[in-house]
Amino acid sequence: KAGVTQTPRYLIKTRGQQVTLSCSPISGHRSVSWYQQTPGQGLQFLFEYFSETQRNKGNFPGRFSGRQFSNSRSEMNVSTLELGDSALYLCASSLETGFGYEQYFGPGTRLTVT
Amino acid sequence: GENVEQHPSTLSVQEGDSAVIKCTYSDSASNYFPWYKQELGKRPQLIIDIRSNVGEKKDQRIAVTLNKTAKHFSLHITETQPEDSAVYFCAASTTSGTYKYIFGTGTRLKVLA
């Protein structure tokens, strides 16, 4: 099976702009989670989608939003970009099982805000 | 709120020695504990995981132990090799109600040849 893919891989934006990142999960996986990774903060949970519904959200401002489509592909959007939004954005997909579930990460989108 | 503490933040060992990384979680409802390895410029890769109904799991040179009472789990790497050098992340998750992972802050392991 193909792994998790993310597009674009690299992005440079200026403050105040908005950006949309895309994630395609492993075929058959219905859950997609998004994370922000920065050197000082590690992996911070943004939100998780399952069957087009956001099931959980991390402690990020409302400028960060997401959605999931019927084919399980997911997008996240960041509006009014700030310098501090520069980070590696990772998505991960999982096949929900009844007791614990394994997440598989995509390669990430490196966002630079200038 | 939920929290996972990971120690140490950096660890240097000689090739062939063992390495131990420890994590402590706060949410008693956590029942799944994966470990990820992230090499420079690459995505995190799942290397081993353990569920709350098991106390220990081993896969070749890697093992994970879980102490539910103490809310503590550890990664053990034996006979370390230079290719083990990477950042390792622990995580805790619960499948009851909320579906999310809480990650530790990572341990940079350097294996010296």
Side-chain angles (χ1 to χ4, degrees):
Chain A
K1 279 184 180 178
V4 180
T5 59
Q6 292 186 245
T7 56
R9 294 293 311 279
Y10 302 91
L11 208 47
I12 299 175
K13 291 285 188 179
T14 56
R15 278 178 296 175
Q17 288 187 314
Q18 73 166 15
V19 66
T20 299
L21 312 181
S22 180
C23 172
S24 292
I26 292 171
S27 178
H29 285 195
R30 297 187 296 169
S31 170
V32 174
S33 298
W34 287 89
Y35 298 88
Q36 181 193 66
Q37 185 174 31
T38 57
Q41 298 295 318
L43 282 153
Q44 300 289 311
F45 173 76
L46 281 154
F47 27 66
E48 190 257 356
Y49 286 88
F50 181 83
S51 292
E52 302 179 65
T53 300
Q54 185 183 92
R55 293 198 295 188
N56 207 359
K57 192 177 191 306
N59 297 323
F60 278 82
R63 300 185 296 107
F64 291 81
S65 63
R67 59 177 175 169
Q68 186 181 34
F69 302 94
S70 58
N71 62 357
S72 294
R73 190 178 69 84
S74 178
E75 290 181 346
M76 67 163 282
N77 183 276
V78 188
S79 62
T80 319
L81 285 165
E82 300 178 358
L83 295 178
D85 296 333
S86 294
L88 180 67
Y89 290 89
L90 292 160
C91 77
S93 76
S94 65
L95 175 65
E96 189 174 25
T97 60
F99 186 71
Y101 53 97
E102 300 162 357
Q103 283 197 336
Y104 297 91
F105 282 88
T109 294
R110 184 162 298 280
L111 172 65
T112 302
V113 182
T114 62
Chain B
E2 302 102 334
N3 184 49
V4 174
E5 293 187 1
Q6 183 172 347
H7 299 282
S9 56
T10 60
L11 179 61
S12 292
V13 299
Q14 288 294 133
E15 182 178 359
D17 286 351
S18 295
V20 180
I21 302 170
K22 299 181 179 182
C23 289
T24 303
Y25 61 98
S26 61
D27 186 356
S28 57
S30 296
N31 56 12
Y32 176 63
F33 308 92
W35 286 88
Y36 287 86
K37 174 185 180 182
Q38 188 175 28
E39 296 175 83
L40 191 63
K42 297 191 175 180
R43 71 188 77 188
Q45 298 267 11
L46 178 68
I47 58 171
I48 196 167
D49 56 16
I50 192 167
R51 290 169 171 78
S52 59
N53 60 347
V54 175
E56 184 174 357
K57 184 177 179 180
K58 191 173 181 180
D59 182 4
Q60 299 183 335
R61 297 186 297 108
I62 295 173
V64 57
T65 58
L66 172 64
N67 182 329
K68 286 173 56 181
T69 303
K71 295 182 190 173
H72 178 94
F73 59 113
S74 300
L75 177 71
H76 305 252
I77 306 174
T78 59
E79 300 172 19
T80 53
Q81 300 167 4
E83 52 265 38
D84 294 330
S85 296
V87 178
Y88 292 81
F89 292 96
C90 65
S93 82
T94 174
T95 55
S96 58
T98 59
Y99 296 83
K100 64 178 179 180
Y101 281 42
I102 304 297
F103 279 84
T105 49
T107 295
R108 184 172 299 279
L109 173 64
K110 186 178 291 187
V111 180
L112 307 171

